[in-house]
């Protein structure tokens, strides 16, 4: 079971890397006002959602104590990110503030994961 959990943690990290990487590659375009949500951002957010739910289930199956408040906050942030990216994915350019919000929420999600113990 530990190997499976570690596998899903790795996939979860790949998802966050795709989301944050997509954001970072569009930062120059954001400065010019032509940033857009690339498909990798949507796929990364969806990967995070699926693997995060799987991790919660696997950890509960093992009897591990889970911080449900932390999980709920991370899930809420991810749903907002996923919703914004999904709705605006086909637009040629996205407003700077909206694009920056997705980057901020993604970064906040990372720091919550790492620092909230």
């Amino acid at each position: 079971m530990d190997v499976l959990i570690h596998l899903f943690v790795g996939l979860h990290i790949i998802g966050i890397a795709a989301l944050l990487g997509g954001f970072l590659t569009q930062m120059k375009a954001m400065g010019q006002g032509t940033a857009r949500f690339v498909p990798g951002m949507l796929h990364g957010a969806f990967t995070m959602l699926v693997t995060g739910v799987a991790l919660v289930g696997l950890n509960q199956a093992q009897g591990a104590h889970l911080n449900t408040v932390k999980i709920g906050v991370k899930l809420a942030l991810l749903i907002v990110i996923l919703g914004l990216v999904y709705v605006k994915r086909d637009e040629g350019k996205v407003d700077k503030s909206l694009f920056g919000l997705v980057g901020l929420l993604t970064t906040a999600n990372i720091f919550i994961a790492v620092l909230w113990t």
Side-chain angles (χ1 to χ4, degrees), residues 3 13 15-16 27 44 49 52 63 74 86-87 89 91-94 96 99 107 111-112:
V3 172
I13 292 170
I16 194 81
M27 290 228 11
L49 178 65
K74 287 180 55 56
Y86 184 79
V87 169
R89 73 187 184 282
E91 293 187 11
K93 59 182 178 178
V94 179
K96 285 182 186 182
F99 195 79
T107 305
F111 281 110
I112 289 170

Side-chain angles (χ1 to χ4, degrees), residues 13-92:
I13 292 170
I14 289 170
I16 194 81
L19 179 59
L20 188 61
F23 173 78
L24 293 174
T25 60
Q26 293 288 307
M27 290 228 11
K28 184 175 181 182
M30 185 176 79
Q32 298 167 351
T34 60
R36 66 184 192 90
F37 292 127
V38 295
M41 293 175 74
L42 178 63
H43 298 165
F46 186 67
T47 300
M48 286 178 57
L49 178 65
V50 171
T51 57
V53 169
L55 283 167
V56 169
L58 289 170
N59 280 298
Q60 281 184 334
Q62 257 193 335
H65 172 69
L66 300 176
N67 187 342
T68 54
V69 175
K70 175 182 174 180
I71 292 168
V73 169
K74 287 180 55 56
L75 179 62
L77 290 177
L78 183 57
I79 287 173
V80 171
I81 292 167
L82 193 55
L84 290 172
V85 173
Y86 184 79
V87 169
K88 301 288 187 178
R89 73 187 184 282
D90 290 332
E91 293 187 11

